Amino acid sequence: MSSRPLSPDLARLARGIGAGERAVIARAITLIESGRADHQKAARRLVQNLLPRTGNAVRVGITGAPGVGKSTTIDALGTRLTAQGHKVAVLAVDPSSARTGGSILADKTRMARLAADPNAFVRPSPASGTLGGVAAKTRESMLICEAAGYDVVLVETIGTGQSETAVADMTDFFLVLMLPGAGDELQGLKKGVVELADMIAVNKADGDNLKRAKAAAAEYHAALHILTPRSPSWTPPVVTYSALTGDGIGQLWATILDHRERVAKAGELAARRREQQVKWMWAMLEDRVFARLKSDAALKSKLPRLEAAVAEGRMSPAVAVDEIAAALGV
Ligand SMILES: Nc1nc2c(ncn2[C@@H]2O[C@H](COP(=O)(O)OP(=O)(O)OP(=O)(O)O)[C@@H](O)[C@H]2O)c(=O)[nH]1
Ligand SMILES: [Mg+2]
């Protein structure tokens, strides 16, 4: 596929991306996000063509409950990194935006500095499609940003299990943000997200919150202690910081780099990315097969009857699946 030359339009896009032209990057991502079959085909060719130029960024996933300070953190961290000479891309997976038409990144006021930073590229979540589809598009957008020379990609998501898994599956480091608790820290510490976390960071450790933040961190630390770490070369630390004052933001990044060095040395970074790539293949295949299945004419005419029969308890789900499979010839 990559050996076939790109059409003049796509070649122009690829050149513009290589030159780091923001307007072209934005256009390429719009192509990726488009629902039109011809656009999707073109986007696939473009990404395939750019693939050799991808993979060089530090990919960080960031999650946390609404109001925890994700945007403020990304603004503070991102600005610090661009000041050090990094190029920072900020992307998002927000399954709720598909319903509301809004987006966690639509509110750029909390990322005012980064949004205006010439060395940062901030893109809201794709606003339509299934979670799997949205996440797949964000992942391809990440590849475009890498090909454009962005060496740090921050992917924001909100605290819902599925979107967190999707973002952890496209990043090298998964950062879970927490609030200084009001005694309910451990309830907020869902088992699923802890298993994904490479670090837990308690934000808003400033002013009156400082003591509570430290106490929350101690509780999380104790809770993490009883879990088996995901990686033999990394035990997820628990830290406190303040996105508002910037206290501890430098330490967040230092920890991300420390993690990187260790897992790279152990061969785990490459292994994680290999596994992720294959996982995405299956996830995208599943999405595609499902879409195809749902639009199958023979099946469409059968489904209402089967669904009703299953709902009313006249037919077992297993027998209904048998009939569906027969209709599809599988
Ligand atoms: N005191 C204090 N307030 C903070 C800090 N970080 C964020 N805030 C405040 O917390 C509120 C929410 O911050 P956001 O950055 O918008 O949080 P978010 O996680 O992006 O929120 P959603 O996008 O709604 O999910 C804002 O009023 C921030 O000013 C911090 O370190 N200390
Ligand atoms: Mg936000």
Side-chain angles (χ1 to χ4, degrees):
M1 192 176 178
S2 53
S3 56
R4 271 167 55 205
L6 292 177
S7 68
D9 274 0
L10 287 184
R12 203 173 312 130
L13 276 184
R15 269 200 309 278
I17 290 164
E21 290 173 32
R22 300 156 64 95
V24 180
I25 299 165
R27 227 179 327 131
I29 293 179
T30 301
L31 194 67
I32 285 172
E33 291 175 356
S34 168
R36 267 176 52 179
D38 57 332
H39 286 172
Q40 288 181 5
K41 203 167 165 194
R44 283 197 290 274
R45 298 212 51 210
L46 180 66
V47 172
Q48 174 66 28
N49 186 270
L50 294 173
L51 217 47
R53 290 193 255 154
T54 66
N56 297 320
V58 179
R59 303 168 175 175
V60 180
I62 299 177
T63 190
V68 70
K70 295 179 293 295
S71 303
T72 313
T73 300
I74 289 170
D75 196 53
L77 177 62
T79 312
R80 189 187 171 93
L81 292 174
T82 59
Q84 291 173 4
H86 292 287
K87 284 186 74 181
V88 179
V90 182
L91 307 171
V93 174
D94 179 4
S96 65
S97 72
R99 287 193 298 272
T100 62
S103 166
I104 38 179
L105 285 178
D107 164 31
K108 283 195 183 174
T109 53
R110 293 255 143 68
M111 290 192 284
R113 283 183 296 170
L114 207 57
D117 191 325
N119 287 314
F121 180 83
V122 178
R123 178 86 180 190
S125 174
S128 67
T130 60
L131 167 65
V134 166
K137 286 169 183 194
T138 297
R139 185 178 175 276
E140 304 219 307
S141 302
M142 173 174 81
L143 299 178
I144 297 283
C145 291
E146 288 182 344
Y150 288 84
D151 63 338
V152 177
V153 181
L154 307 176
V155 187
E156 175 181 356
T157 192
I158 51 167
T160 67
Q162 278 181 310
S163 64
E164 285 171 333
T165 305
V167 171
D169 279 344
M170 68 176 83
T171 50
D172 306 324
F173 190 95
F174 196 63
L175 172 59
V176 177
L177 305 186
M178 295 284 187
L179 287 168
D184 56 357
E185 296 83 21
L186 296 176
Q187 288 163 31
L189 198 66
K190 293 169 290 174
K191 190 166 177 289
V193 77
V194 170
E195 281 164 357
L196 299 175
D198 293 301
M199 167 160 60
I200 290 181
V202 182
N203 186 26
K204 309 196 184 183
D206 47 45
D208 292 346
N209 282 327
L210 195 56
K211 243 177 142 169
R212 288 198 303 147
K214 298 268 184 225
E219 284 194 51
Y220 291 134
H221 184 79
L224 277 186
H225 212 69
I226 56 174
L227 289 168
T228 317
R230 182 159 59 139
S231 147
S233 48
W234 185 254
T235 305
V238 182
V239 302
T240 60
Y241 76 105
S242 167
L244 205 63
T245 66
D247 255 5
I249 285 277
Q251 195 53 45
L252 287 188
W253 183 246
T255 305
I256 291 168
L257 293 184
D258 180 31
H259 168 269
R260 192 169 196 77
E261 202 183 308
R262 288 182 199 217
V263 294
K265 209 178 276 168
E268 287 174 41
L269 181 61
R272 181 163 169 168
R273 285 192 173 184
R274 273 199 303 271
E275 275 167 32
Q276 287 176 339
Q277 276 149 210
V278 174
K279 230 167 158 176
W280 280 100
M281 181 190 80
W282 282 105
M284 290 168 92
L285 179 63
E286 227 175 89
D287 249 33
R288 182 89 76 91
V289 169
F290 220 77
R292 162 79 179 76
L293 207 143
K294 281 187 168 162
S295 64
D296 186 272
L299 191 60
K300 251 186 189 162
S301 63
K302 276 187 172 230
L303 272 179
R305 183 178 58 79
L306 291 171
E307 247 184 32
V310 170
E312 288 158 19
R314 285 182 284 111
M315 186 185 280
S316 85
V319 170
V321 169
D322 263 352
E323 283 209 24
I324 294 167
L328 291 169
V330 293

